[in-house]
Amino acid sequence: MNHDSSTNRTKPYTPLTSYQPVFSQRRVEQVRHFTLAFVLLLLFWLLLSGHYDVFHIVIGVLCCLLVSYTSSDFLFVHVGADDTHLIIPRLLTYIPWHLYQIVVSNIYLAKLVFSPLDRLTPRIMPYQTKLTNGLALVTFANSITLTPGTITIDLDEHTFYIHAIDSKVADDLLTGEMEDRVEKVFLPAAHAKVRARTMLAAESNNLIVKTIVRLFTPFIQIYGLYVIAHGHYSPGGGFQGGVILAASVVLLALAFGLRRTMTKVTEKLTTMLCSSGVFIFGGLGLLCLLLGGNFLDYEKLDLFLKVGAPQSRSLGILGIEIGIGMAVMACMTSIFFDIATAGELPDEPSEPLTVDDCVAAEDAVNE
Amino acid sequence: MNSFFLGISLFLCLLIVPCLYRAIVGPTVIDRMVAVGAIGTKTLIILILMGFLYERIAMFIDISMVYAILNFIGTLAAARYFENKGEI
């Protein structure tokens, strides 16, 4: 979680001259990452939603604020704030080239499939890479896998192990054009070079899985919240959205280890979410009962909402969906935790999961 | 256009059969995992084609996205499970 911002909010106003070192570079970067994550997630939400009235956009903004508060440190760990605006446009020019490569090798492979069997000469070859940046390594590994004919099997420090289906695709890869292009995309700003190098050592273990999960998690969470909030228009609702949210926690546990995930999604949090979800559901239902209707008779809520019967029915359902979503997410998560730990809590407290380890290692180097 | 989508869907359904064979017979766990992954990818495309057929593409895209996420998590979990020999 974003500890600094919570302490910051309670702090009284301090004049500019007494700025603490905590506030400086690191703090600015955090705020920048938060804003960038928020914008990206909101774009994703608008793309999904398709409802552009004030009500839905307000819900979207709230959900995006929530997710960027909990998960913005997942999105931007490797990229220094100075590089982000450089990398995104470069990536946008790399993608069309890569799509073209995919089409070309697809056609080649289709021909290969219909030719005699002895033309296939599959091999596994090591490939020494000059890339050092973690994101660049992951992009290159995935580019190789996406291109038909070659698959990345393993990444070990600076060596890729690649399966190639015949000599031509292998030779194409060995010319190194793809690697050069990927390198160009992630070329850091001059002063950020130290940072790029220290990151690899910190996270070389399962680098690809960790990076992909790290980048996906906020979007999966936004998707889960979208399913909850749009339950009365499209398939889904509280149950499905809650399961998707829980799936994002499971994904984190698979990539970063169960214990480190449990430092972020603690048992206290799941218990609180679970019981308050049930409270919202039961509370709304009983409120309708108190107002003279049946259990969950949403129309009676119009007494407070004053928006007309159909509208308050819709709002009532949304409230119920939110409650169910919270409860289901918390229940699924704690069921997963209980099964995966076989009912035994970890003895020693684990180091917290902030994915900031790389940044910490980097700070140590800079000092 | 509808018969075109229907044709592609049926063809993909047929292509699932060899994957299913590998998933059932496949001598090693890895074979089965890859086969299940391939079936999942095909199902994804079939779901979207169904969306075109029923002209409710927005709804089916939502469903197929959930399917993609769960497919990814499933493969990852299985890989983790067999790599760590029964521990997650």
Side-chain angles (χ1 to χ4, degrees):
Chain A
M1 299 262 178
N2 209 336
H3 291 298
D4 293 22
S5 66
S6 56
T7 51
N8 183 32
R9 211 176 295 134
T10 53
K11 238 175 203 171
Y13 171 72
T14 40
L16 263 174
T17 45
S18 69
Y19 256 24
Q20 298 298 311
V22 194
F23 268 68
S24 59
Q25 196 91 46
R26 183 75 194 284
R27 182 89 193 109
V28 170
E29 211 163 83
Q30 267 179 354
V31 172
R32 231 159 155 175
H33 290 173
F34 182 88
T35 325
L36 252 169
F38 176 74
V39 171
L40 276 176
L41 292 173
L42 193 64
L43 282 177
F44 183 59
W45 175 281
L46 292 177
L47 196 72
L48 284 172
S49 164
H51 293 272
Y52 299 120
D53 50 302
V54 178
F55 178 66
H56 283 95
I57 290 180
V58 167
I59 296 183
V61 167
L62 288 179
C63 291
C64 293
L65 278 177
L66 180 73
V67 173
S68 22
Y69 176 70
T70 56
S71 307
S72 69
D73 52 345
F74 285 132
L75 270 184
F76 304 102
V77 149
H78 288 297
V79 189
D82 308 302
D83 307 355
T84 319
H85 65 282
L86 289 174
I87 285 174
I88 291 173
R90 287 200 213 126
L91 201 61
L92 288 181
T93 59
Y94 171 74
I95 290 170
W97 179 81
H98 186 240
L99 282 178
Y100 171 70
Q101 293 299 310
I102 290 178
V103 171
V104 167
S105 39
N106 238 326
I107 293 169
Y108 176 74
L109 219 68
K111 275 184 201 157
L112 202 66
V113 168
F114 290 108
S115 58
L117 200 63
D118 56 345
R119 274 195 58 192
L120 295 179
T121 48
R123 68 200 59 196
I124 292 177
M125 53 183 190
Y127 183 97
Q128 287 287 333
T129 179
K130 57 186 173 184
L131 302 172
T132 48
N133 185 315
L135 262 185
L137 283 166
V138 173
T139 311
F140 185 47
N142 279 323
S143 300
I144 292 171
T145 306
L146 276 174
T147 313
T150 47
I151 291 173
T152 313
I153 298 172
D154 201 4
L155 165 60
D156 185 19
E157 293 288 320
H158 291 282
T159 313
F160 283 103
Y161 293 94
I162 293 163
H163 177 270
I165 202 160
D166 86 335
S167 55
K168 187 188 170 287
V169 281
D171 291 342
D172 278 357
L173 187 65
L174 289 176
T175 57
E177 195 194 352
M178 189 183 277
E179 189 185 7
D180 289 340
R181 283 180 185 261
V182 173
E183 191 189 20
K184 247 179 244 161
V185 170
F186 290 98
L187 215 56
H191 60 279
K193 267 184 182 156
V194 185
R195 165 178 302 166
R197 225 168 282 134
T198 50
M199 275 178 313
L200 180 67
E203 266 209 338
S204 61
N205 190 21
N206 275 332
L207 178 79
I208 296 175
V209 170
K210 278 182 184 168
T211 310
I212 297 293
V213 167
R214 178 167 75 71
L215 295 177
F216 264 23
T217 306
F219 291 99
I220 294 179
Q221 284 168 348
I222 276 291
Y223 187 68
L225 291 173
Y226 152 78
V227 169
I228 292 178
H230 290 67
H232 38 303
Y233 302 106
S234 51
F239 283 99
Q240 291 83 343
V243 170
I244 295 173
L245 285 177
S248 77
V249 179
V250 172
L251 202 54
L252 278 183
L254 289 175
F256 292 99
L258 189 70
R259 294 179 175 205
R260 292 186 66 202
T261 307
M262 283 180 80
T263 59
K264 187 155 181 163
V265 189
T266 53
E267 292 218 299
K268 193 177 162 193
L269 181 73
T270 55
T271 316
M272 263 162 51
L273 273 179
C274 190
S275 41
S276 43
V278 174
F279 177 74
I280 291 175
F281 178 83
L284 272 176
L286 287 177
L287 194 63
C288 301
L289 212 58
L290 279 179
L291 294 171
N294 292 320
F295 189 70
L296 294 181
D297 194 355
Y298 309 114
E299 275 174 52
K300 299 290 177 219
L301 292 176
D302 201 30
L303 225 62
F304 299 120
L305 299 169
K306 309 242 185 277
V307 281
Q311 196 63 26
S312 60
R313 247 202 312 271
S314 166
L315 281 175
I317 294 178
L318 182 66
I320 294 293
E321 300 279 19
I322 291 171
I324 294 176
M326 281 162 69
V328 169
M329 182 240 175
C331 277
M332 294 303 286
T333 311
S334 48
I335 288 175
F336 171 74
F337 283 165
D338 287 347
I339 292 179
T341 56
E344 284 172 27
L345 283 174
D347 304 327
E348 74 276 21
S350 163
E351 49 186 312
L353 169 64
T354 49
V355 203
D356 265 0
D357 304 8
C358 331
V359 183
E362 189 186 297
D363 289 349
V365 169
N366 289 345
E367 281 165 15
Chain B
M1 205 60 186
N2 265 4
S3 55
F4 174 68
F5 288 135
L6 196 62
I8 295 182
S9 310
L10 286 174
F11 184 61
L12 282 172
C13 287
L14 278 183
L15 282 182
I16 286 181
V17 176
C19 295
L20 205 60
Y21 171 80
R22 189 48 69 208
I24 296 168
V25 175
T28 67
V29 168
I30 309 286
D31 286 324
R32 295 193 168 97
M33 267 165 56
V34 173
V36 169
I39 292 175
T41 316
K42 287 182 180 50
T43 315
L44 199 82
I45 305 294
I46 293 173
L47 272 174
I48 292 178
L49 289 171
M50 285 293 124
F52 277 118
L53 279 179
Y54 290 117
E55 289 172 1
R56 299 192 65 183
I57 189 68
M59 187 179 121
F60 276 85
I61 289 237
D62 286 1
I63 301 174
S64 60
M65 268 178 80
V66 177
Y67 202 84
I69 294 170
L70 295 184
N71 198 16
F72 174 56
I73 295 176
T75 311
L76 198 61
R80 252 297 147 92
Y81 185 79
F82 290 113
E83 187 191 46
N84 297 354
K85 298 190 178 62
E87 289 263 322
I88 285 185

